Amino acid sequence: MDNFIYHNYTKIVFGKDQETNVGALTAELGKKVLLHYGGGSIKQSGLYARVVSSLQEAGVAFVELGGALPNPRLSLVRAGIDLCRREGVDAILAVGGGSAIDSAKAIALGVPFEGDIWDLFTKKATSNHVLPVGVVLTIPAAGSESSIVSVVTNEETQTKIGLHHPNFRPQFAILNPELCFTLPPDQIANGVCDMLAHVMERYFTNTPGVDFSDRLCEGAMRSMLALGPKVLENPTDYDTWANLMWAGCVAHGDILGVGRVGDWASHRTGHHFSAYYDLPHGTALSILFPAWIKYVYRENLPLFVQWAQRVFDVDLTTADPDAIVLEGVRRLEAFYKRIGLATRFSEVGIDDTHFEAFATRSIPVGALKALSVEDIVAIYRLAL
């Protein structure tokens, strides 16, 4: 196990009706906030009215910025930065899923920075000052509510980049499972895939001596595999949603990855398809992760055998480890199909036109196996 420092300071406020406390929690962050959200769903559900009422009762002034989209856009981040500067905002409140939270984090980083926010994402500049962020979560998936990551898409260059920043963790995150009851099935499925991928990216490692976190990851994966179909069958089951919502938060809150080096190749090589084709992030992962496993599993064969046996209960009457792993991959793909996700690019109308360009943009990438351009193109072709 590697050395590590673990410090997650996000206050998780979990349970029914907890969004009614958002005003008091936000008042601890600042006197005037940016209320940032996506489309009209929070207004239709009544959540917007409850949040606004709570802010007003707590004496918190606010300005609004809606329009957060999947694969959050740089143009909206820049608009948010300008708005916050004009209005003298000193904190950000994101109400929504990963897209609203990620763009809120980017805005919070950009407001005190004198240059262009994109220079921070491309590592041309650095800045430590980030406005405090609070969250009311409506879509469990990205885990952004307690992570150090923000992912933003530059529409002009069709580039999607994730930035890790130690000050990106929200100060608080309100998680009420009842807010998930009206989510459409495709968002649920993509969310489950994203949180499962967050665990697998950490799990597949070459770091030795990590049995405890192996088993934490395996338990999390098994729970997600069980909870995903259940919540799709009964989307108003509070306890199922409660477990899934908490699982999504834990999956990307870093506790599962301490002491080990994660891979992240499937995420990073998949971002290009989301940026160019506006492909849902979860769908990019359901297509690419099985292909990546097929391509790299011999780099650490015992670990992939362990994954197939402990997570998918593969018990073949064979001593062939390759067969065990590939059966695990088949069961992973069957799970994705069961919840309505694609497992091939051809199923979503994507061909190999941009494979070489996307692969070139991806490197350097991969920890379990450092991937070359040729490796990435081969993985893309396995996913066709």
Side-chain angles (χ1 to χ4, degrees):
M1 181 184 294
D2 295 337
N3 294 352
F4 66 88
I5 297 173
Y6 178 72
H7 177 57
N8 189 328
Y9 53 76
T10 302
K11 179 190 293 185
I12 304 297
V13 184
F14 192 99
K16 297 179 180 180
D17 302 321
Q18 292 297 332
E19 67 274 13
T20 60
N21 298 315
V22 68
L25 289 164
T26 305
E28 297 176 5
L29 307 186
K31 295 180 179 180
K32 189 173 186 179
V33 303
L34 175 70
L35 175 57
H36 185 43
Y37 52 89
S41 61
I42 69 166
K43 293 184 177 180
Q44 296 167 6
S45 68
L47 175 60
Y48 172 86
R50 295 195 298 277
V51 169
V52 167
S53 175
S54 184
L55 291 174
Q56 291 172 337
E57 289 176 7
V60 178
F62 64 92
V63 293
E64 298 183 34
L65 179 66
L69 297 170
N71 303 313
R73 308 311 201 252
L74 177 62
S75 59
L76 187 65
V77 169
R78 286 173 170 156
I81 292 169
D82 291 341
L83 177 61
C84 289
R85 289 172 175 169
R86 289 197 309 269
E87 295 289 340
V89 162
D90 47 19
I92 317 289
L93 175 62
V95 181
S99 297
I101 302 168
D102 279 7
S103 53
K105 290 176 177 178
I107 293 168
L109 177 63
V111 171
F113 178 61
E114 293 183 357
D116 179 49
I117 183 63
W118 194 242
D119 287 343
L120 298 175
F121 275 79
T122 57
K123 307 295 179 62
K124 294 179 181 177
T126 59
S127 177
N128 290 324
H129 191 190
V130 181
L131 297 185
V133 174
V135 170
V136 178
L137 184 66
T138 62
I139 305 174
S144 191
E145 65 272 12
S146 67
S147 79
I148 61 169
V149 185
S150 171
V151 183
V152 172
T153 298
N154 185 329
E155 311 98 301
E156 295 178 1
T157 61
Q158 295 178 320
T159 306
K160 184 175 180 179
I161 296 178
L163 176 63
H164 292 66
H165 196 292
N167 299 327
F168 263 163
R169 293 195 200 276
Q171 299 294 313
F172 71 82
I174 294 173
L175 279 62
N176 177 1
E178 292 177 317
L179 301 181
C180 307
F181 287 179
T182 57
L183 286 174
D186 63 321
Q187 289 191 16
I188 296 173
N190 278 294
V192 170
C193 182
D194 193 13
M195 61 180 74
L196 182 63
H198 287 156
V199 182
M200 290 195 293
E201 294 281 23
R202 292 172 167 89
Y203 180 79
F204 292 122
T205 182
N206 288 323
T207 307
V210 287
D211 182 68
F212 177 67
S213 57
D214 274 356
R215 293 184 182 273
L216 288 178
C217 290
E218 290 155 4
M221 286 186 276
R222 289 180 67 92
S223 290
M224 292 167 185
L225 293 168
L227 293 167
K230 285 183 179 179
V231 81
L232 283 165
E233 293 165 7
N234 186 357
T236 59
D237 184 318
Y238 179 86
D239 286 333
T240 303
W241 265 122
N243 281 277
L244 190 61
M245 200 172 207
W246 182 230
C249 185
V250 171
H252 209 33
D254 292 333
I255 189 66
L256 299 182
V258 295
R260 57 198 298 148
V261 178
D263 186 80
W264 299 101
S266 296
H267 266 75
R268 290 172 184 161
T269 59
H271 280 333
H272 310 297
F273 295 90
S274 296
Y276 188 87
Y277 296 102
D278 206 22
L279 185 69
H281 178 54
T283 302
L285 291 167
S286 68
I287 292 169
L288 279 172
F289 228 120
W292 175 83
I293 294 174
K294 293 173 190 175
Y295 192 80
V296 306
Y297 73 87
R298 290 190 182 92
E299 297 292 318
N300 192 338
L301 186 56
L303 178 63
F304 284 92
V305 169
Q306 174 181 291
W307 167 77
Q309 292 179 326
R310 291 185 184 177
V311 178
F312 285 97
D313 296 322
V314 176
D315 185 20
L316 301 179
T317 55
T318 175
D320 183 358
D322 295 83
I324 293 172
V325 174
L326 294 176
E327 175 60 16
V329 176
R330 189 197 69 76
R331 295 185 187 188
L332 175 63
E333 290 181 320
F335 170 77
Y336 290 146
K337 292 175 182 176
R338 180 183 175 189
I339 62 175
L341 295 177
T343 57
R344 298 290 185 276
F345 283 126
S346 57
E347 296 174 38
V348 293
I350 294 176
D351 60 21
D352 63 357
T353 302
H354 301 290
F355 282 5
E356 189 81 24
F358 290 173
T360 301
R361 289 185 195 176
S362 297
I363 56 173
V365 68
L368 183 132
K369 175 180 172 60
L371 301 178
S372 66
V373 169
E374 292 74 20
D375 290 327
I376 298 167
V377 170
I379 291 169
Y380 287 162
R381 294 197 180 284
L382 278 175
L384 265 176

